[in-house]
Amino acid sequence: MTKNYLFTSESVTEGHPDKMADQISDAILDYIIARDPKARVACEVMLSNGYCIIGGEIKTETYAPLAEIARDVIREIGYTDASFGFDYRSAGVLNGVGEQSPDIAQGVDHEGGELGAGDQGMMFGYACDETPEFMPLAIMLSHKLASQLSSVRKNGTLAYLRPDGKTQVTVEYDGNKIKRVHTIVVSAQHSNDVPMDVLKEDIIEDVIKPIIPKELLDDKTIIHINPTGRFVIGGPAGDTGLTGRKIIVDTYGGSSPHGGGAFSGKDPTKVDRSGAYMARYIAKNLVASGACTKASIQISYAIGLSEPISIMVNTHNTSTIKEELIEECVKNIFPLSPSGIIKELDLLRPIYKKTSVYGHFGRECEEFNWEKLDKVSKIKSYLKIL
């Protein structure tokens, strides 16, 4: 018997306080890595009512104007007026950055150029055939709704919207098959003078309908728009924002396990980030090759060691090929040391601010090499897939 079930994922807009923190952390990383690719960056940001604190550990040969970078990001997001609850001009920016511990540095920087992992931990990658992006449907629709919220705000279609917002999509499954969109939730920050009936109608017409495929909607689809009835106070004025607090939004919307390590603000010697990118790269190419229709990859590391401690492939019973053979294929085709990952995916580039909102995966951005399908032919050849 097949089982009907519901699965839900969420996303947030670029003006959500946690995502603001992620974007500032990655903007600082980009600024530094563009000028000093050998820099070590672990940048954390906290935003609250009227202030931004930048912390973490940074070791670099370049100077980075941290306050200026933070204000530029806040302005680009759209917090340009004190009436929005936060203003890039007047917000206080505090710099509490220190230098990377020499105890960590000695484990990462080995003689001969081979890098050790910047920390211990496990990373997961995931891919499935539910969408053209090889991502779960619920998280892809949630991201697209959140991005659309920002688009209609910035292009003036719904000029009364403010930067903060959240989206959520519940998909109904019949066994492993997508049946319909069961529930949509959109919470959008808005000006004080817009009537709720106008906002709800506008969100349906200009945000939901352009994004959700018609064939997935029916007269039973439940839509909640600003369910509290009012969302004027938002952004850092409504909730404190912290780097790395949206790790499920950043990845697979809960469809896959998560190792617990955040991405934003970390240079690629930190395997929390680079290892997760490689795991996604592996999973996506495996599914695209036809080896399986769903793949979870786990890689684990110990601080200071160059090779992973373990590699696990789980095809969720969607493959006729033995998983031991697929694991062997992965080890032979994909480099898994920190140096190998950085080189393979060309990670010493200022590409990270773009990753920090609307998901690190499932986006066909030219810079995101972990989304490329350039290992499909090698996998097919190794596994003898016709």
Side-chain angles (χ1 to χ4, degrees), residues 216-247:
L216 296 178
L217 295 172
D218 57 33
D219 56 4
K220 293 183 180 179
T221 299
I222 300 165
I223 298 176
H224 297 295
I225 298 171
N226 284 26
T228 65
R230 179 181 170 88
F231 187 4
V232 174
I233 300 172
D239 190 15
T240 297
L242 296 170
T243 299
R245 203 159 59 175
K246 285 291 176 281
I247 58 176

PDB file of all heavy atoms in Angstrom, residues 216-247:
ATOM      1  N   LEU A 216      -0.828  22.088  -9.717  1.00  0.00           N
ATOM      2  CA  LEU A 216      -0.641  21.673  -8.333  1.00  0.00           C
ATOM      3  C   LEU A 216      -1.602  22.361  -7.378  1.00  0.00           C
ATOM      4  O   LEU A 216      -1.623  22.057  -6.179  1.00  0.00           O
ATOM      5  CB  LEU A 216       0.806  21.939  -7.890  1.00  0.00           C
ATOM      6  CG  LEU A 216       1.883  21.137  -8.621  1.00  0.00           C
ATOM      7  CD1 LEU A 216       3.267  21.530  -8.107  1.00  0.00           C
ATOM      8  CD2 LEU A 216       1.660  19.637  -8.463  1.00  0.00           C
ATOM      9  N   LEU A 217      -2.394  23.309  -7.889  1.00  0.00           N
ATOM     10  CA  LEU A 217      -3.386  24.013  -7.084  1.00  0.00           C
ATOM     11  C   LEU A 217      -4.777  23.479  -7.394  1.00  0.00           C
ATOM     12  O   LEU A 217      -5.080  23.109  -8.526  1.00  0.00           O
ATOM     13  CB  LEU A 217      -3.344  25.514  -7.373  1.00  0.00           C
ATOM     14  CG  LEU A 217      -2.068  26.272  -7.000  1.00  0.00           C
ATOM     15  CD1 LEU A 217      -2.138  27.696  -7.527  1.00  0.00           C
ATOM     16  CD2 LEU A 217      -1.857  26.279  -5.494  1.00  0.00           C
ATOM     17  N   ASP A 218      -5.622  23.434  -6.377  1.00  0.00           N
ATOM     18  CA  ASP A 218      -7.028  23.106  -6.594  1.00  0.00           C
ATOM     19  C   ASP A 218      -7.876  23.871  -5.594  1.00  0.00           C
ATOM     20  O   ASP A 218      -7.351  24.672  -4.801  1.00  0.00           O
ATOM     21  CB  ASP A 218      -7.274  21.589  -6.513  1.00  0.00           C
ATOM     22  CG  ASP A 218      -6.817  20.987  -5.185  1.00  0.00           C
ATOM     23  OD1 ASP A 218      -6.903  21.679  -4.154  1.00  0.00           O
ATOM     24  OD2 ASP A 218      -6.379  19.820  -5.172  1.00  0.00           O
ATOM     25  N   ASP A 219      -9.178  23.657  -5.620  1.00  0.00           N
ATOM     26  CA  ASP A 219     -10.058  24.445  -4.750  1.00  0.00           C
ATOM     27  C   ASP A 219      -9.941  24.051  -3.281  1.00  0.00           C
ATOM     28  O   ASP A 219     -10.529  24.697  -2.407  1.00  0.00           O
ATOM     29  CB  ASP A 219     -11.519  24.335  -5.216  1.00  0.00           C
ATOM     30  CG  ASP A 219     -11.995  22.886  -5.292  1.00  0.00           C
ATOM     31  OD1 ASP A 219     -11.244  21.970  -4.916  1.00  0.00           O
ATOM     32  OD2 ASP A 219     -13.145  22.683  -5.748  1.00  0.00           O
ATOM     33  N   LYS A 220      -9.158  22.997  -3.000  1.00  0.00           N
ATOM     34  CA  LYS A 220      -8.935  22.603  -1.606  1.00  0.00           C
ATOM     35  C   LYS A 220      -7.601  23.117  -1.065  1.00  0.00           C
ATOM     36  O   LYS A 220      -7.323  22.951   0.133  1.00  0.00           O
ATOM     37  CB  LYS A 220      -8.981  21.075  -1.489  1.00  0.00           C
ATOM     38  CG  LYS A 220     -10.361  20.476  -1.752  1.00  0.00           C
ATOM     39  CD  LYS A 220     -10.345  18.966  -1.554  1.00  0.00           C
ATOM     40  CE  LYS A 220     -11.731  18.372  -1.819  1.00  0.00           C
ATOM     41  NZ  LYS A 220     -11.721  16.898  -1.651  1.00  0.00           N
ATOM     42  N   THR A 221      -6.780  23.715  -1.921  1.00  0.00           N
ATOM     43  CA  THR A 221      -5.503  24.252  -1.453  1.00  0.00           C
ATOM     44  C   THR A 221      -5.756  25.359  -0.431  1.00  0.00           C
ATOM     45  O   THR A 221      -6.527  26.290  -0.677  1.00  0.00           O
ATOM     46  CB  THR A 221      -4.673  24.807  -2.623  1.00  0.00           C
ATOM     47  OG1 THR A 221      -4.389  23.754  -3.541  1.00  0.00           O
ATOM     48  CG2 THR A 221      -3.356  25.387  -2.124  1.00  0.00           C
ATOM     49  N   ILE A 222      -5.101  25.241   0.713  1.00  0.00           N
ATOM     50  CA  ILE A 222      -5.271  26.210   1.802  1.00  0.00           C
ATOM     51  C   ILE A 222      -4.212  27.300   1.654  1.00  0.00           C
ATOM     52  O   ILE A 222      -3.028  26.992   1.469  1.00  0.00           O
ATOM     53  CB  ILE A 222      -5.128  25.515   3.171  1.00  0.00           C
ATOM     54  CG1 ILE A 222      -6.183  24.412   3.322  1.00  0.00           C
ATOM     55  CG2 ILE A 222      -5.240  26.530   4.311  1.00  0.00           C
ATOM     56  CD1 ILE A 222      -5.886  23.450   4.456  1.00  0.00           C
ATOM     57  N   ILE A 223      -4.627  28.551   1.721  1.00  0.00           N
ATOM     58  CA  ILE A 223      -3.694  29.678   1.620  1.00  0.00           C
ATOM     59  C   ILE A 223      -3.848  30.571   2.850  1.00  0.00           C
ATOM     60  O   ILE A 223      -4.948  31.053   3.139  1.00  0.00           O
ATOM     61  CB  ILE A 223      -3.943  30.497   0.332  1.00  0.00           C
ATOM     62  CG1 ILE A 223      -3.719  29.624  -0.909  1.00  0.00           C
ATOM     63  CG2 ILE A 223      -3.033  31.723   0.299  1.00  0.00           C
ATOM     64  CD1 ILE A 223      -4.023  30.319  -2.218  1.00  0.00           C
ATOM     65  N   HIS A 224      -2.749  30.747   3.565  1.00  0.00           N
ATOM     66  CA  HIS A 224      -2.699  31.664   4.709  1.00  0.00           C
ATOM     67  C   HIS A 224      -1.778  32.829   4.356  1.00  0.00           C
ATOM     68  O   HIS A 224      -0.601  32.609   4.047  1.00  0.00           O
ATOM     69  CB  HIS A 224      -2.167  30.969   5.959  1.00  0.00           C
ATOM     70  CG  HIS A 224      -3.017  29.847   6.466  1.00  0.00           C
ATOM     71  ND1 HIS A 224      -4.293  30.055   6.962  1.00  0.00           N
ATOM     72  CD2 HIS A 224      -2.775  28.523   6.561  1.00  0.00           C
ATOM     73  CE1 HIS A 224      -4.795  28.889   7.343  1.00  0.00           C
ATOM     74  NE2 HIS A 224      -3.907  27.939   7.101  1.00  0.00           N
ATOM     75  N   ILE A 225      -2.288  34.035   4.399  1.00  0.00           N
ATOM     76  CA  ILE A 225      -1.476  35.227   4.140  1.00  0.00           C
ATOM     77  C   ILE A 225      -1.516  36.117   5.376  1.00  0.00           C
ATOM     78  O   ILE A 225      -2.589  36.502   5.833  1.00  0.00           O
ATOM     79  CB  ILE A 225      -1.991  35.991   2.903  1.00  0.00           C
ATOM     80  CG1 ILE A 225      -1.870  35.093   1.662  1.00  0.00           C
ATOM     81  CG2 ILE A 225      -1.212  37.291   2.707  1.00  0.00           C
ATOM     82  CD1 ILE A 225      -2.532  35.652   0.445  1.00  0.00           C
ATOM     83  N   ASN A 226      -0.334  36.390   5.917  1.00  0.00           N
ATOM     84  CA  ASN A 226      -0.211  37.151   7.172  1.00  0.00           C
ATOM     85  C   ASN A 226      -1.239  36.665   8.201  1.00  0.00           C
ATOM     86  O   ASN A 226      -2.151  37.403   8.588  1.00  0.00           O
ATOM     87  CB  ASN A 226      -0.371  38.650   6.902  1.00  0.00           C
ATOM     88  CG  ASN A 226       0.864  39.252   6.276  1.00  0.00           C
ATOM     89  OD1 ASN A 226       1.634  38.556   5.616  1.00  0.00           O
ATOM     90  ND2 ASN A 226       1.069  40.545   6.458  1.00  0.00           N
ATOM     91  N   PRO A 227      -1.112  35.418   8.653  1.00  0.00           N
ATOM     92  CA  PRO A 227      -2.135  34.840   9.520  1.00  0.00           C
ATOM     93  C   PRO A 227      -2.345  35.567  10.839  1.00  0.00           C
ATOM     94  O   PRO A 227      -3.412  35.435  11.443  1.00  0.00           O
ATOM     95  CB  PRO A 227      -1.652  33.403   9.744  1.00  0.00           C
ATOM     96  CG  PRO A 227      -0.317  33.282   9.135  1.00  0.00           C
ATOM     97  CD  PRO A 227      -0.096  34.446   8.244  1.00  0.00           C
ATOM     98  N   THR A 228      -1.352  36.362  11.298  1.00  0.00           N
ATOM     99  CA  THR A 228      -1.586  37.142  12.518  1.00  0.00           C
ATOM    100  C   THR A 228      -2.463  38.364  12.239  1.00  0.00           C
ATOM    101  O   THR A 228      -2.980  38.988  13.157  1.00  0.00           O
ATOM    102  CB  THR A 228      -0.269  37.631  13.144  1.00  0.00           C
ATOM    103  OG1 THR A 228       0.362  38.547  12.242  1.00  0.00           O
ATOM    104  CG2 THR A 228       0.654  36.472  13.443  1.00  0.00           C
ATOM    105  N   GLY A 229      -2.598  38.718  10.950  1.00  0.00           N
ATOM    106  CA  GLY A 229      -3.416  39.863  10.565  1.00  0.00           C
ATOM    107  C   GLY A 229      -2.653  41.158  10.409  1.00  0.00           C
ATOM    108  O   GLY A 229      -3.156  42.121   9.853  1.00  0.00           O
ATOM    109  N   ARG A 230      -1.372  41.184  10.850  1.00  0.00           N
ATOM    110  CA  ARG A 230      -0.606  42.432  10.788  1.00  0.00           C
ATOM    111  C   ARG A 230       0.874  42.095  10.898  1.00  0.00           C
ATOM    112  O   ARG A 230       1.278  41.279  11.713  1.00  0.00           O
ATOM    113  CB  ARG A 230      -1.036  43.356  11.925  1.00  0.00           C
ATOM    114  CG  ARG A 230      -0.305  44.691  12.001  1.00  0.00           C
ATOM    115  CD  ARG A 230      -0.829  45.483  13.203  1.00  0.00           C
ATOM    116  NE  ARG A 230      -0.028  46.663  13.473  1.00  0.00           N
ATOM    117  CZ  ARG A 230      -0.217  47.848  12.918  1.00  0.00           C
ATOM    118  NH1 ARG A 230      -1.185  48.012  12.048  1.00  0.00           N
ATOM    119  NH2 ARG A 230       0.550  48.875  13.235  1.00  0.00           N
ATOM    120  N   PHE A 231       1.701  42.732  10.059  1.00  0.00           N
ATOM    121  CA  PHE A 231       3.142  42.484  10.081  1.00  0.00           C
ATOM    122  C   PHE A 231       3.843  43.784   9.675  1.00  0.00           C
ATOM    123  O   PHE A 231       4.442  43.886   8.613  1.00  0.00           O
ATOM    124  CB  PHE A 231       3.478  41.344   9.124  1.00  0.00           C
ATOM    125  CG  PHE A 231       4.910  40.869   9.160  1.00  0.00           C
ATOM    126  CD1 PHE A 231       5.850  41.364  10.057  1.00  0.00           C
ATOM    127  CD2 PHE A 231       5.333  39.886   8.268  1.00  0.00           C
ATOM    128  CE1 PHE A 231       7.157  40.907  10.071  1.00  0.00           C
ATOM    129  CE2 PHE A 231       6.637  39.423   8.261  1.00  0.00           C
ATOM    130  CZ  PHE A 231       7.554  39.936   9.162  1.00  0.00           C
ATOM    131  N   VAL A 232       3.736  44.781  10.538  1.00  0.00           N
ATOM    132  CA  VAL A 232       4.358  46.081  10.282  1.00  0.00           C
ATOM    133  C   VAL A 232       5.769  46.127  10.868  1.00  0.00           C
ATOM    134  O   VAL A 232       6.715  46.587  10.230  1.00  0.00           O
ATOM    135  CB  VAL A 232       3.496  47.226  10.849  1.00  0.00           C
ATOM    136  CG1 VAL A 232       4.220  48.567  10.723  1.00  0.00           C
ATOM    137  CG2 VAL A 232       2.154  47.287  10.121  1.00  0.00           C
ATOM    138  N   ILE A 233       5.897  45.661  12.101  1.00  0.00           N
ATOM    139  CA  ILE A 233       7.206  45.634  12.754  1.00  0.00           C
ATOM    140  C   ILE A 233       7.925  44.362  12.336  1.00  0.00           C
ATOM    141  O   ILE A 233       7.471  43.246  12.608  1.00  0.00           O
ATOM    142  CB  ILE A 233       7.061  45.680  14.289  1.00  0.00           C
ATOM    143  CG1 ILE A 233       6.348  46.960  14.704  1.00  0.00           C
ATOM    144  CG2 ILE A 233       8.431  45.587  14.958  1.00  0.00           C
ATOM    145  CD1 ILE A 233       5.981  47.013  16.175  1.00  0.00           C
ATOM    146  N   GLY A 234       9.044  44.524  11.636  1.00  0.00           N
ATOM    147  CA  GLY A 234       9.789  43.369  11.142  1.00  0.00           C
ATOM    148  C   GLY A 234      11.271  43.646  11.118  1.00  0.00           C
ATOM    149  O   GLY A 234      11.749  44.661  11.632  1.00  0.00           O
ATOM    150  N   GLY A 235      12.018  42.739  10.501  1.00  0.00           N
ATOM    151  CA  GLY A 235      13.466  42.889  10.455  1.00  0.00           C
ATOM    152  C   GLY A 235      14.071  42.849  11.843  1.00  0.00           C
ATOM    153  O   GLY A 235      13.483  42.298  12.781  1.00  0.00           O
ATOM    154  N   PRO A 236      15.242  43.453  12.025  1.00  0.00           N
ATOM    155  CA  PRO A 236      15.906  43.419  13.330  1.00  0.00           C
ATOM    156  C   PRO A 236      15.114  44.108  14.441  1.00  0.00           C
ATOM    157  O   PRO A 236      15.367  43.842  15.617  1.00  0.00           O
ATOM    158  CB  PRO A 236      17.224  44.157  13.069  1.00  0.00           C
ATOM    159  CG  PRO A 236      17.461  43.994  11.607  1.00  0.00           C
ATOM    160  CD  PRO A 236      16.101  44.032  10.982  1.00  0.00           C
ATOM    161  N   ALA A 237      14.154  44.978  14.083  1.00  0.00           N
ATOM    162  CA  ALA A 237      13.332  45.618  15.109  1.00  0.00           C
ATOM    163  C   ALA A 237      12.336  44.641  15.714  1.00  0.00           C
ATOM    164  O   ALA A 237      11.862  44.830  16.838  1.00  0.00           O
ATOM    165  CB  ALA A 237      12.584  46.812  14.519  1.00  0.00           C
ATOM    166  N   GLY A 238      12.014  43.591  14.966  1.00  0.00           N
ATOM    167  CA  GLY A 238      11.034  42.629  15.450  1.00  0.00           C
ATOM    168  C   GLY A 238      11.636  41.354  16.000  1.00  0.00           C
ATOM    169  O   GLY A 238      11.004  40.640  16.789  1.00  0.00           O
ATOM    170  N   ASP A 239      12.865  41.054  15.587  1.00  0.00           N
ATOM    171  CA  ASP A 239      13.490  39.798  15.983  1.00  0.00           C
ATOM    172  C   ASP A 239      14.987  39.906  15.769  1.00  0.00           C
ATOM    173  O   ASP A 239      15.443  40.438  14.753  1.00  0.00           O
ATOM    174  CB  ASP A 239      12.921  38.647  15.134  1.00  0.00           C
ATOM    175  CG  ASP A 239      13.331  37.273  15.634  1.00  0.00           C
ATOM    176  OD1 ASP A 239      13.803  37.171  16.785  1.00  0.00           O
ATOM    177  OD2 ASP A 239      13.192  36.305  14.873  1.00  0.00           O
ATOM    178  N   THR A 240      15.771  39.409  16.706  1.00  0.00           N
ATOM    179  CA  THR A 240      17.220  39.422  16.561  1.00  0.00           C
ATOM    180  C   THR A 240      17.653  38.473  15.458  1.00  0.00           C
ATOM    181  O   THR A 240      17.115  37.373  15.320  1.00  0.00           O
ATOM    182  CB  THR A 240      17.885  39.010  17.897  1.00  0.00           C
ATOM    183  OG1 THR A 240      17.544  39.970  18.892  1.00  0.00           O
ATOM    184  CG2 THR A 240      19.398  38.934  17.760  1.00  0.00           C
ATOM    185  N   GLY A 241      18.623  38.895  14.653  1.00  0.00           N
ATOM    186  CA  GLY A 241      19.143  38.059  13.576  1.00  0.00           C
ATOM    187  C   GLY A 241      20.545  37.565  13.886  1.00  0.00           C
ATOM    188  O   GLY A 241      21.370  38.304  14.428  1.00  0.00           O
ATOM    189  N   LEU A 242      20.803  36.306  13.565  1.00  0.00           N
ATOM    190  CA  LEU A 242      22.111  35.704  13.809  1.00  0.00           C
ATOM    191  C   LEU A 242      22.577  34.933  12.584  1.00  0.00           C
ATOM    192  O   LEU A 242      21.782  34.245  11.935  1.00  0.00           O
ATOM    193  CB  LEU A 242      22.042  34.727  14.994  1.00  0.00           C
ATOM    194  CG  LEU A 242      21.699  35.311  16.361  1.00  0.00           C
ATOM    195  CD1 LEU A 242      21.446  34.184  17.351  1.00  0.00           C
ATOM    196  CD2 LEU A 242      22.824  36.199  16.858  1.00  0.00           C
ATOM    197  N   THR A 243      23.865  35.014  12.279  1.00  0.00           N
ATOM    198  CA  THR A 243      24.432  34.201  11.216  1.00  0.00           C
ATOM    199  C   THR A 243      24.231  32.719  11.530  1.00  0.00           C
ATOM    200  O   THR A 243      24.421  32.280  12.660  1.00  0.00           O
ATOM    201  CB  THR A 243      25.939  34.478  11.071  1.00  0.00           C
ATOM    202  OG1 THR A 243      26.131  35.851  10.740  1.00  0.00           O
ATOM    203  CG2 THR A 243      26.569  33.615   9.992  1.00  0.00           C
ATOM    204  N   GLY A 244      23.833  31.958  10.508  1.00  0.00           N
ATOM    205  CA  GLY A 244      23.788  30.508  10.634  1.00  0.00           C
ATOM    206  C   GLY A 244      22.572  29.945  11.320  1.00  0.00           C
ATOM    207  O   GLY A 244      22.567  28.779  11.709  1.00  0.00           O
ATOM    208  N   ARG A 245      21.509  30.744  11.438  1.00  0.00           N
ATOM    209  CA  ARG A 245      20.323  30.236  12.137  1.00  0.00           C
ATOM    210  C   ARG A 245      19.248  29.750  11.163  1.00  0.00           C
ATOM    211  O   ARG A 245      18.152  29.405  11.574  1.00  0.00           O
ATOM    212  CB  ARG A 245      19.749  31.313  13.067  1.00  0.00           C
ATOM    213  CG  ARG A 245      18.912  30.708  14.181  1.00  0.00           C
ATOM    214  CD  ARG A 245      18.758  31.612  15.376  1.00  0.00           C
ATOM    215  NE  ARG A 245      18.140  32.886  15.069  1.00  0.00           N
ATOM    216  CZ  ARG A 245      17.831  33.792  16.000  1.00  0.00           C
ATOM    217  NH1 ARG A 245      18.104  33.542  17.279  1.00  0.00           N
ATOM    218  NH2 ARG A 245      17.295  34.941  15.659  1.00  0.00           N
ATOM    219  N   LYS A 246      19.559  29.716   9.877  1.00  0.00           N
ATOM    220  CA  LYS A 246      18.603  29.220   8.883  1.00  0.00           C
ATOM    221  C   LYS A 246      19.240  28.100   8.056  1.00  0.00           C
ATOM    222  O   LYS A 246      19.168  28.084   6.840  1.00  0.00           O
ATOM    223  CB  LYS A 246      18.143  30.374   7.987  1.00  0.00           C
ATOM    224  CG  LYS A 246      17.159  31.316   8.681  1.00  0.00           C
ATOM    225  CD  LYS A 246      15.824  30.634   8.914  1.00  0.00           C
ATOM    226  CE  LYS A 246      14.843  31.499   9.702  1.00  0.00           C
ATOM    227  NZ  LYS A 246      15.161  31.477  11.160  1.00  0.00           N
ATOM    228  N   ILE A 247      19.836  27.116   8.745  1.00  0.00           N
ATOM    229  CA  ILE A 247      20.578  26.078   8.033  1.00  0.00           C
ATOM    230  C   ILE A 247      19.665  25.137   7.249  1.00  0.00           C
ATOM    231  O   ILE A 247      20.095  24.565   6.239  1.00  0.00           O
ATOM    232  CB  ILE A 247      21.486  25.275   8.992  1.00  0.00           C
ATOM    233  CG1 ILE A 247      20.678  24.623  10.123  1.00  0.00           C
ATOM    234  CG2 ILE A 247      22.589  26.166   9.551  1.00  0.00           C
ATOM    235  CD1 ILE A 247      21.510  23.742  11.044  1.00  0.00           C
TER     236      ILE A 247
END
